[in-house]
Amino acid sequence: MTKFFLLLLSFAALISCSSLQSYNKHPKTEFRGVWIATVVNIDWPKNGLDEIEKQKKDYLEILDFYQNLNFNAVIVQIRTAGDSFYRSEYAPWSRFLTGKEGKAPKENFDVLGWMINEAHSRGMEFHAWLNPYRATFDLETEVLSPTHDFNLHPEWMVKYGKKYYYNPGLPEVQEKMVSIMKEVVADYDIDAIHFDDYFYPYKIKDKVFQDSSCYEFYKRPKQSIADWRRSNIDSLVKKTYRTIKKEKPWVQFGISPFGVWKNKSTDPKGSDTKAGQTTYEDLYADPLLWMKKGWVDYLIPQVYWSMDLPVASHSKIVDWWAQNKSNSNLYIGNGAYKIRNNSDHAWQKKKELPNQLKLARNTQQMSGNAFFSAKSLMKNNSDVVKYIKRKYYKKAALTPISSLTKNTFNEVKVQVSKHSEEKIEFTVNSPQKLRYAIIYDSGKKTKLTYPTTKLLNKTFIDDSSIFSISKSEFKGKKHIAITFINYYGRESKPTVLKIKND
C-alpha cells in the first residue's frame, strides 16, 4: 500500500511538472527577432556615404540571411539620436544614412517604405525601433542639422557625460516624442513601435543628471526625484501605447529593458543578481508596471549574460522574468554579439547561445527570442548558426499574437481562379485587411489547425484580392489547406482546396 501511494505521488508530480511546459521541437508560434542597429553604422548601412544601391544590397543580405534561419521579425533602428531614417516633420535625416545630417537620400528615395516592403515580402514583421531620449551620440554638435532639436530647443537638452539627452521631465519633450511615434505609425505599414533600454541614461560615476530645477517645478507633493523620474517614463510609455492604438490598433508596442529590474540585495522581489546598475533604480524604468497596466504588447528583457555567470546568471534572470510576467507577451533578448568575443569564457562554447534558446522554449511564460545584433552571426560563428538552425529553427514559426488584442477573425473565402504552367492564382474575399496567405500540405479533409511541419509557403498579399504562387511551392501536392494572417497576427480557419499540379 505504501509503495503504491509513493508511486501515485511520483506519477502526480510528473504530470504536474509536465503541465508547466511540454517541449515543442517545432512550435507553431515563436518570436524570432533580430535587432538591426543603425547608430554609428553598427549593422547597417555599412557607411552613410555608400551609394543607395550598395545600401540596399547590404540590407537585403541581412534579410536573406535571417530569412534562411527562419526568423520572422526584424527590429530596425530608425531613430538613433534626434534624427530619422525617413522623411519626418519632427527630425532631420540621419547622417548614418546619408553621410550628412539633414541630407535626404538621392531622388528622395523612401528608404523606410522600401525596407518595410522587403521585410514583409520575406514573411518577416517590421518593428520600427526608436530611441526617444538620446539627442546626440557625442559632443560634436557642429555636425547636427539646423533643424535638430539641439539647435531648435536647447532648453530641452541635458549634457551628461559625452552626450546630450532630451529632458524626460519636460511636458514639451513628451509631446514631441508622442508626435514622432504617431507620425511613423500613420505614415508607414509597420508591425510595431519598439523602444530599447535607454530611458534616463546609464549612470556615470561622479556625474549628475542636471534636472533638479525641472523636478522642483513639476514634482508632486512629497514625491522623490527617483519616483518623479519614473513617473515621466511611465507617462511616455502610456501615451505612446494609447496613441499607437488610436491610430492603428493592430500595431504593437514593445520595449526591451535592461535585463535586471532590481537586485535582491535592495529589494526582496528582485532577482538573485549583483548587477552594477538596474532598470528600476538607475534607468528609472518600471517594466513590471507597464505589463501590469497593459501599456505594452511585449517586453524583451536584454539578458545578455551567459547561463551561469555568478553576478548575473542568464538562467536565473529568465526564471525571474517568467515569475513576474503579467498581461504582455514576454520574449528574451540574447547577446549574440558576445559569442567568442567576451572575457566570459562561457561564450567560447558553441552551445552557449543555443542553450539559452532551449531555456526560453522550455519556459512556459516565454514566447521567443531576439538577438543583438544582426552582424553577430553573419560573418563568424557559422558552426553556431548551423547548430541553431538544425536544432531549434529548422522549421518556420508564426509570430505570437499580442495578448492584449481583442480582435477576432471572420471567415475568409478563397478559391483557385486560374492555373498556368508556372503558377496558381487565388481569389480571396475578406472583410478584414490581410497580411499573409499560408499554404499547408493537406489531405482531402479539413483540420482545425496545421503544424508548421506541414507549411509549404507564406506569401505576403498586400491587401490584394488576387495573389499567385509558383507551382514549384506545392511539390506535387493534390490538396492544400490555405489560411490567412490578418494585421493583428491572427490566423483564419483553414480552407482545403484541390489543385492541379501537372
Side-chain angles (χ1 to χ4, degrees), residues 182-193:
K182 181 178 180 180
E183 178 185 56
V184 176
V185 174
D187 291 353
Y188 289 96
D189 188 21
I190 60 173
D191 297 283
I193 288 287

Side-chain angles (χ1 to χ4, degrees), residues 111-151:
V111 179
L112 181 54
W114 176 82
M115 288 196 294
I116 294 167
N117 287 335
E118 291 295 336
H120 284 165
S121 70
R122 288 163 174 77
M124 306 169 90
E125 289 187 350
F126 189 99
H127 294 224
W129 165 19
L130 300 95
N131 188 295
Y133 294 123
R134 184 170 57 208
T136 72
F137 197 75
D138 48 41
L139 299 179
E140 297 177 14
T141 56
E142 66 275 7
V143 304
L144 301 178
S145 163
T147 61
H148 190 287
D149 282 328
F150 177 86
N151 293 312

Side-chain angles (χ1 to χ4, degrees), residues 2-70:
T2 303
K3 289 183 179 180
F4 175 76
F5 182 68
L6 291 175
L7 183 63
L8 189 63
L9 282 177
S10 300
F11 180 73
L14 180 63
I15 294 298
S16 175
C17 291
S18 65
S19 67
L20 293 176
Q21 177 82 358
S22 57
Y23 184 80
N24 188 347
K25 190 175 182 181
H26 304 299
K28 181 72 178 280
T29 62
E30 183 175 60
F31 189 84
R32 300 173 184 174
V34 59
W35 281 283
I36 300 177
T38 61
V39 65
V40 294
N41 305 109
I42 290 175
D43 290 313
W44 181 85
K46 292 183 179 179
N47 192 313
L49 296 173
D50 286 343
E51 292 294 326
I52 191 65
E53 291 305 316
K54 170 69 163 54
Q55 292 185 353
K56 288 165 73 172
K57 178 177 177 292
D58 291 339
Y59 177 72
L60 295 182
E61 182 182 355
I62 295 173
L63 293 191
D64 290 342
F65 178 87
Y66 284 97
Q67 180 190 23
N68 183 58
L69 264 178
N70 284 319

Side-chain angles (χ1 to χ4, degrees), residues 85-297:
F85 273 61
Y86 55 96
R87 183 171 297 282
S88 174
E89 181 183 341
Y90 303 105
W93 286 97
S94 175
R95 69 182 186 272
F96 303 125
L97 176 67
T98 65
K100 181 180 179 180
E101 189 168 283
K103 179 184 176 182
K106 287 184 179 179
E107 300 177 358
N108 290 317
F109 176 60
D110 183 5
V111 179
L112 181 54
W114 176 82
M115 288 196 294
I116 294 167
N117 287 335
E118 291 295 336
H120 284 165
S121 70
R122 288 163 174 77
M124 306 169 90
E125 289 187 350
F126 189 99
H127 294 224
W129 165 19
L130 300 95
N131 188 295
Y133 294 123
R134 184 170 57 208
T136 72
F137 197 75
D138 48 41
L139 299 179
E140 297 177 14
T141 56
E142 66 275 7
V143 304
L144 301 178
S145 163
T147 61
H148 190 287
D149 282 328
F150 177 86
N151 293 312
L152 295 179
H153 297 285
E155 72 279 9
W156 291 359
M157 301 294 140
V158 178
K159 181 182 177 184
Y160 188 70
K162 296 182 179 180
K163 295 181 177 67
Y164 282 92
Y165 297 87
Y166 289 85
N167 187 341
L170 292 172
E172 308 94 293
V173 167
Q174 282 196 27
E175 183 180 344
K176 177 70 177 278
M177 296 308 160
V178 172
S179 296
I180 289 169
M181 306 312 156
K182 181 178 180 180
E183 178 185 56
V184 176
V185 174
D187 291 353
Y188 289 96
D189 188 21
I190 60 173
D191 297 283
I193 288 287
H194 182 92
F195 290 172
D196 56 15
D197 54 320
Y198 291 101
F199 295 102
Y200 280 85
Y202 284 87
K203 289 182 178 176
I204 303 171
K205 187 178 180 181
D206 299 326
K207 298 289 184 181
V208 177
F209 192 80
Q210 300 290 351
D211 62 348
S212 57
S213 60
C214 186
Y215 160 65
E216 291 297 338
F217 187 83
Y218 288 109
K219 70 176 181 178
R220 296 195 305 271
K222 298 182 180 180
Q223 187 179 33
S224 70
I225 191 167
D227 287 339
W228 173 76
R229 286 174 174 172
R230 275 187 289 272
S231 72
N232 295 329
I233 304 302
D234 293 342
S235 179
L236 178 69
V237 169
K238 177 174 65 175
K239 289 176 181 177
T240 299
Y241 179 83
R242 291 178 176 175
T243 298
I244 291 170
K245 299 306 179 182
K246 184 177 180 181
E247 193 69 33
K248 290 179 181 175
W250 58 85
V251 172
Q252 294 192 37
F253 182 32
I255 298 178
S256 54
F258 180 70
V260 176
W261 176 72
K262 284 187 189 180
N263 295 312
K264 187 178 286 187
S265 59
T266 62
D267 190 328
K269 294 186 295 184
S271 54
D272 184 14
T273 50
K274 297 177 182 177
Q277 300 200 44
T278 68
T279 191
Y280 185 92
E281 295 153 319
D282 298 290
L283 306 183
Y284 304 102
D286 190 3
L288 297 190
L289 177 68
W290 308 336
M291 283 195 292
K292 181 180 178 181
K293 294 288 188 180
W295 295 341
V296 288
D297 293 285

Side-chain angles (χ1 to χ4, degrees), residues 303-309 312-315 334-336 338-340 342 344-360 369 371 383-384 387-388 392:
V303 192
Y304 291 168
W305 303 278
S306 61
M307 290 287 282
D308 300 308
L309 186 69
S313 158
H314 182 95
S315 57
N334 303 88
K338 288 187 173 181
I339 300 173
R340 296 171 183 137
N342 195 262
D344 177 2
H345 293 295
W347 289 102
Q348 297 294 324
K349 302 173 184 176
K350 180 176 79 172
K351 293 186 179 180
E352 176 59 37
L353 183 61
N355 284 341
Q356 295 181 12
L357 299 183
K358 181 180 180 181
L359 174 64
N369 298 79
F371 292 1
D383 57 333
V384 177
Y387 188 82
I388 287 173
Y392 299 102

